[in-house]
Amino acid sequence: MKMVRVDGRGVIAALVAVLCVVVAPVAAAERATLSVRVDEPQWVINRNIYGQFAEHLGHGIYGGLWVGEHSTIPNVRGIRKDVVAALRQLQIPVLRWPGGCFADEYHWRDGIGPRDQRPVRVNSNWGGVTERNAFGTHEFMDLVEQLGTQAYVSVNVGSGTPQEARDWIEYMTSDSQSTLANERRKNGRDRPWKVAYIGVGNESWGCGGEMRPEYYADLYRRYSSFIRLADKHAKRYASGANSSNYDWTEVLMREAGKLMDGISLHYYSIPNGRWHGKGAATGFGEDQWASTLKNTLKMKTMLDRHIAIMDRYDPDKRVDFAVDEWGTWYDPEPGTNPAFLYQQNSLRDAIVAGVNLNLFQAHGDRVRMANIAQMVNVLQAMVLTDGPKMLRTPTYWVFEMYKVHQDAHALPIRLDTPDYHYGDVDIPAVSASASIDAQGRVHLSLVNLDPKRSIRIATTLSGSHATQVSGRVLTAPQMDAHNTFDAPDQVHPVAFDGAALKGQSLSVQLPAKSVVVLELR
């Protein structure tokens, strides 16, 4: 009987595994090799890859971020203190708002002025619930400042006008004595805000207007011209493709590429690959673990192919590629409003997050923004709330671990990994990325997609002078391990002792179903 190391969790766990070997044999560790060129730094990893997204959907805004000044839940001008404190730890670089599909039915004047005088609308995209517009432009920009982040505002193309978009930008950003700038001052904000990014519509191929790419390209040209008149500094991002719709990218780059600063992509990881009967967020088997990760890895093909199209029209890589909606999408939690898209967040989601962030960094010479969907209480959220209660999800902890890569230089890697097999799924078992920061510290991110086998990684660090290695690991015994309001810390990172450094050689014992971030100095 062969003794195996089980997830680095000590003697008791190892003995349990050995005693159970007759009933359920523990798989032997696999081996991988990794080389990192520490002496060949590449592009800067844009911090905006770690961006967030908050839409007027379910309890993402109301109850999640906004409770109002008179709430018994501690708040600053109506915005929850606990949620802001948690999110500030992530060093969020950019926040996209107000949608999503909601953006193309949102008229900005509904959300300014005295709250008790703001019009009540129906949120027709997400549940037909009433939208009282308590959270509008001033409240959003207050949130941006409390988080210490940048604003990415999506303007209404589907049901709006270029004039409406232009007026909104002027209202927010003008330092003149224009009527719109003075209206902002009258509503309580003297200094103009900075809007770093403007999204020209959202999913214009779908909920944003069911448009053809040729028609949207012309609309984009029109809108961007008037937005430019209102603010010459904000970057203008075009509404890009739905997953593998490469024709959309082709047409937009051909017809409007010279007038845009960025173009987006939307793609979600769905267990079954179907919009109906997607699969559960918890209580799933290994079949849905495997299928979710297989679908997640399709992101690489999409990035490669969309970027190849962009490179033909923009060889100097001036135009940003922004994956401004991504994440997991499951069936809503039982007993919740299905239109509110509330789902639990498990270790599987943490693995998905790590894989995607590694991919974005590997394509960082073109991918300069990504916005996970969504920040609070919706889809693959950082934070979940229930009245006064709040918890951090496993995905939150991946973002917290990976923030060391923000603004660091990517390092070239070469990975030779075994495959993870399950049924008809056959995918690489290890995902990795590496960077070096301004202080010369190397950070190595490793994800083991295999839920059963640990993997020993023999790593060569060419050009490294590091003498110390430390790190943290995020893992759990069950594939669907998650945090609850009664037990909010079941899944969180702990110190990792499975790495040994000797000269330019690094040996890592990567536990099954884990995310590890190492620091070498």
Side-chain angles (χ1 to χ4, degrees), residues 397 400-402 470-474 493-496 515-518:
W397 289 116
E400 192 271 340
M401 294 166 71
Y402 272 57
S470 60
R472 292 190 296 163
V473 57
L474 185 74
V494 297
F496 180 64
V515 178
V516 169
V517 176
L518 300 175

Side-chain angles (χ1 to χ4, degrees), residues 206-274:
C207 64
E210 300 285 350
M211 301 175 194
R212 296 178 302 111
E214 293 83 0
Y215 178 73
Y216 173 73
D218 285 342
L219 269 185
Y220 172 83
R221 293 166 68 99
R222 183 181 177 203
Y223 269 77
S224 66
S225 297
F226 288 98
I227 289 169
R228 182 77 169 171
L229 292 175
D231 189 335
K232 293 180 172 60
H233 303 291
K235 282 194 168 187
R236 296 158 296 166
Y237 278 14
S239 174
N242 176 19
S243 59
S244 58
N245 184 351
Y246 304 111
D247 181 61
W248 187 276
T249 301
E250 180 86 34
V251 172
L252 261 63
M253 288 300 298
R254 183 184 70 228
E255 302 297 335
K258 293 181 179 180
L259 297 175
M260 66 177 67
D261 298 301
I263 187 172
S264 66
L265 171 70
H266 290 182
Y267 177 66
Y268 290 91
S269 299
I270 299 171
N272 296 330
R274 302 187 304 265

Side-chain angles (χ1 to χ4, degrees), residues 46-302:
N46 197 310
R47 60 174 43 236
N48 288 343
I49 284 173
Y50 295 89
Q52 300 286 332
F53 173 34
E55 182 172 3
H56 288 242
L57 196 173
H59 296 296
I61 299 292
Y62 301 108
L65 289 164
W66 174 264
V67 290
E69 298 99 322
H70 304 299
S71 173
T72 57
I73 298 172
N75 67 85
V76 176
R77 294 179 295 279
I79 298 170
R80 291 182 67 133
K81 279 186 175 182
D82 55 352
V83 171
V84 167
L87 294 174
R88 281 185 64 89
Q89 293 179 34
L90 300 182
Q91 299 174 4
I92 292 171
V94 62
L95 178 57
R96 180 173 178 248
W97 173 85
C101 292
F102 183 79
D104 283 294
E105 64 173 315
Y106 182 66
H107 299 281
W108 67 273
R109 282 198 167 278
D110 291 350
I112 62 171
R115 290 194 199 96
D116 60 355
Q117 297 177 27
R118 296 179 188 178
V120 176
R121 308 293 187 191
V122 174
N123 188 334
S124 57
N125 275 292
W126 303 116
V129 296
T130 54
E131 166 63 62
R132 297 188 178 278
N133 287 298
F135 190 92
T137 300
H138 289 253
E139 291 77 18
F140 170 69
M141 297 306 292
D142 189 2
L143 173 64
V144 164
E145 291 181 339
Q146 289 189 37
L147 290 173
T149 188
Q150 299 180 96
Y152 176 10
V153 174
S154 297
V155 300
N156 183 342
V157 171
S159 65
T161 66
Q163 183 69 54
E164 182 182 22
R166 185 204 175 285
D167 287 352
W168 192 13
I169 303 304
E170 181 180 333
Y171 178 90
M172 290 187 285
T173 65
S174 176
D175 195 25
S176 71
Q177 291 299 314
S178 73
T179 298
L180 286 164
N182 284 330
E183 185 178 9
R184 182 194 68 237
R185 295 183 180 101
K186 179 182 177 182
N187 287 332
R189 174 74 181 197
D190 182 30
R191 293 179 295 109
W193 293 292
K194 180 181 179 181
V195 177
Y197 301 91
I198 298 169
V200 183
N202 168 79
E203 294 189 357
S204 299
W205 40 262
C207 64
E210 300 285 350
M211 301 175 194
R212 296 178 302 111
E214 293 83 0
Y215 178 73
Y216 173 73
D218 285 342
L219 269 185
Y220 172 83
R221 293 166 68 99
R222 183 181 177 203
Y223 269 77
S224 66
S225 297
F226 288 98
I227 289 169
R228 182 77 169 171
L229 292 175
D231 189 335
K232 293 180 172 60
H233 303 291
K235 282 194 168 187
R236 296 158 296 166
Y237 278 14
S239 174
N242 176 19
S243 59
S244 58
N245 184 351
Y246 304 111
D247 181 61
W248 187 276
T249 301
E250 180 86 34
V251 172
L252 261 63
M253 288 300 298
R254 183 184 70 228
E255 302 297 335
K258 293 181 179 180
L259 297 175
M260 66 177 67
D261 298 301
I263 187 172
S264 66
L265 171 70
H266 290 182
Y267 177 66
Y268 290 91
S269 299
I270 299 171
N272 296 330
R274 302 187 304 265
W275 283 106
H276 300 287
K278 300 178 185 69
T282 58
F284 52 84
E286 190 174 350
D287 57 337
Q288 293 206 350
W289 169 281
S291 64
T292 302
L293 295 178
K294 178 182 178 180
N295 289 332
T296 295
L297 286 169
K298 291 178 181 178
M299 178 70 81
K300 181 182 184 304
T301 300
M302 293 176 199

